[in-house]
């Protein structure tokens, strides 16, 4: 809808509701595509990922381009609750800080 139908335009047949700020939860390539699209729509766009930058599953070039476009990275954070108002619109999140453990036998660091 955004690209093919011009939903980013206010006079579109099916306009989108633009937020001032948005978080994409995750760190893969699809998350990078989504957050960069939000940024291009003028949204204060953030990636929230429960691990550190070295553990991001997205390709390094995707992360690089997201940073170039001004995407903010909230790393070592994990949402635990989505907050809504009486109209059921999202108004915030409860977030916990995460920590990485030392690498295990498989070389992967866990989060606590």
């Amino acid at each position: 809808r955004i690209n093919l139908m011009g939903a980013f335009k206010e006079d579109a047949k099916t306009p989108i509701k633009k937020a001032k700020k948005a978080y994409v939860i995750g760190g893969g390539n699809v998350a990078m595509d989504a957050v960069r699209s939000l940024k291009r729509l003028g949204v204060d766009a953030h990636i929230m990922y429960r691990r550190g930058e070295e553990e991001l599953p997205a390709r390094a070039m995707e992360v690089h381009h997201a940073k170039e476009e001004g995407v903010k990275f909230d790393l070592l954070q994990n949402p635990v609750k989505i907050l809504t108002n009486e109209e059921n619109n999202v108004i915030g999140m409860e977030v916990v800080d995460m920590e990485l453990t030392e690498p295990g036998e498989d070389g992967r660091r866990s989060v606590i």
Side-chain angles (χ1 to χ4, degrees):
R1 284 184 42 220
I2 293 170
N3 291 330
L4 297 177
M5 298 174 67
F8 59 91
K9 299 175 187 170
E10 302 228 356
D11 63 344
K13 289 182 182 179
T14 61
I16 58 169
K17 183 177 179 181
K18 276 202 274 186
K20 292 180 180 136
K21 182 185 246 186
Y23 287 83
V24 175
I25 312 302
N29 292 322
V30 173
M32 295 303 147
D33 289 343
V35 78
R36 290 173 69 196
S37 293
L38 288 165
K39 189 68 182 170
R40 291 173 193 156
L41 290 170
V43 175
D44 179 14
H46 296 245
I47 282 283
M48 183 176 288
Y49 187 59
R50 66 190 186 117
R51 296 179 182 273
E53 186 167 345
E54 289 182 13
E55 291 81 26
L56 284 167
R59 291 187 308 259
M61 199 53 113
E62 290 279 348
V63 175
H64 173 77
H65 289 306
K67 287 181 178 181
E68 276 187 335
E69 290 187 46
V71 169
K72 296 175 184 141
F73 284 74
D74 298 342
L75 302 172
L76 292 170
Q77 293 189 332
N78 198 38
V80 292
K81 186 175 183 181
I82 305 297
L83 307 173
T84 59
N85 63 15
E86 48 281 342
E87 287 90 34
N88 214 24
N89 294 316
V90 174
I91 58 170
M93 289 187 293
E94 286 183 19
V95 176
V96 294
D97 292 331
M98 307 299 285
E99 291 181 40
L100 291 171
T101 64
E102 291 300 318
E105 290 181 20
D106 62 356
R108 186 166 185 199
R109 298 171 73 178
S110 296
V111 290
I112 53 172

